[in-house]
Amino acid sequence: MVNKINTCVFISGNGSNLKSIIINSRDYNFPINIRLVISNNKNAAGLKIAKKHSIPCKFFSSKNKKLFERNCLFELKKNNIKFLCLAGFMKVLSNNFIKSFGSKIVNIHPSLLPNYKGLNTHKRVLKNKEKYSGCTVHFVTPKLDSGKIILQKKIIIDRNETENSLQKKILRLEHILYPISIISIFR
Ligand code: GRF
């Protein structure tokens, strides 16, 4: 078995990407093991997914960002976490946090970065009558959705595409892209 890297996933919501990473991490050759899940939303459905898979999880409010980051750094250290995945985590991490953690942090974003950083990507993509959209896994820096791109997947936007259909289509793609991006980082 490969020596799996202790990993934490930060979430804020549904956790469908978390689920995909957990399932993939069960594979003998997958490079990481999810040891911890942290949510800044105590009602995040993703917390139930973590519990169902017997993965320790924590909720910390991020109303006070400094305190949130301090709590997270304590847990990351305590659990010997060496890799951090953001999966639908709706908060920008500070430079100080990124430096203090000191290991790789990655994120998934539902657009073809560097286009459409930030929120409401699908709405803006449709408004601009784009022909393509997709998703991107990238390293996290203090600048929102701007770190080095690891992998991207592209889809064609249909003529009758709605925000909802586009979101579903891209989310399905994310569930494939995130695990293969993690493999590519540690290959
Ligand atoms: C995904 O579209 C992700 O790219 C974005 O937020 C959504 C989270 O979905 N950052 P889930 O919580 O993983 O289901």
Side-chain angles (χ1 to χ4, degrees):
M1 184 159 96
V2 290
N3 226 342
K4 294 195 177 211
I5 295 149
N6 286 347
T7 300
C8 175
V9 182
F10 279 12
I11 58 165
S12 300
N14 284 334
S16 68
N17 279 291
L18 166 69
K19 187 176 169 191
S20 152
I21 300 171
I22 293 174
I23 289 167
N24 278 278
S25 72
R26 298 273 148 96
D27 190 294
Y28 195 73
N29 286 313
F30 200 72
I32 66 163
N33 222 343
I34 312 298
R35 294 276 182 212
L36 179 67
V37 171
I38 296 180
S39 172
N40 66 336
N41 167 11
K42 66 171 178 296
N43 299 315
L47 285 172
K48 289 200 186 97
I49 295 173
K51 279 182 195 141
K52 194 176 154 206
H53 289 87
S54 310
I55 296 170
C57 45
K58 292 264 169 202
F59 154 71
F60 296 124
S61 164
S62 56
K63 272 192 189 132
N64 178 334
K65 188 164 154 177
K66 263 198 174 158
L67 185 59
F68 171 78
E69 291 188 339
R70 208 183 309 148
N71 284 330
C72 289
L73 284 169
F74 178 81
E75 285 299 322
L76 293 171
K77 203 162 188 181
K78 190 172 126 193
N79 290 280
N80 197 24
I81 300 295
K82 300 293 184 204
F83 181 57
L84 174 56
C85 297
L86 311 185
F89 178 67
M90 304 304 283
K91 199 90 195 164
V92 180
L93 295 168
S94 73
N95 197 7
N96 183 50
F97 176 91
I98 295 169
K99 271 197 188 149
S100 307
F101 176 54
S103 301
K104 291 186 176 81
I105 308 177
V106 296
N107 180 42
I108 189 154
H109 183 75
S111 81
L112 293 171
L113 290 175
N115 299 328
Y116 300 100
K117 296 171 184 173
L119 296 174
N120 300 318
T121 48
H122 307 314
K123 193 177 190 167
R124 290 185 283 138
V125 161
L126 290 177
K127 197 170 166 217
N128 287 345
K129 303 204 181 324
E130 298 284 1
K131 288 203 172 71
Y132 304 98
S133 191
C135 48
T136 306
V137 174
H138 64 94
F139 288 108
V140 171
T141 65
K143 227 174 143 197
L144 181 68
D145 300 328
S146 299
K148 187 171 174 261
I149 290 172
I150 301 158
L151 286 177
Q152 280 186 322
K153 260 190 186 289
K154 190 171 173 180
I155 48 122
I156 297 171
I157 297 178
D158 293 327
R159 249 199 292 144
N160 303 323
E161 204 81 71
T162 62
E163 241 185 273
N164 195 262
S165 67
L166 188 57
Q167 191 249 340
K168 281 191 180 143
K169 218 153 107 175
I170 291 179
L171 197 56
R172 275 201 298 274
L173 212 60
E174 291 183 36
H175 300 156
I176 300 165
L177 185 70
Y178 217 158
I180 63 171
S181 301
I182 294 169
I183 292 171
S184 87
I185 294 168
F186 295 105
R187 187 176 288 143

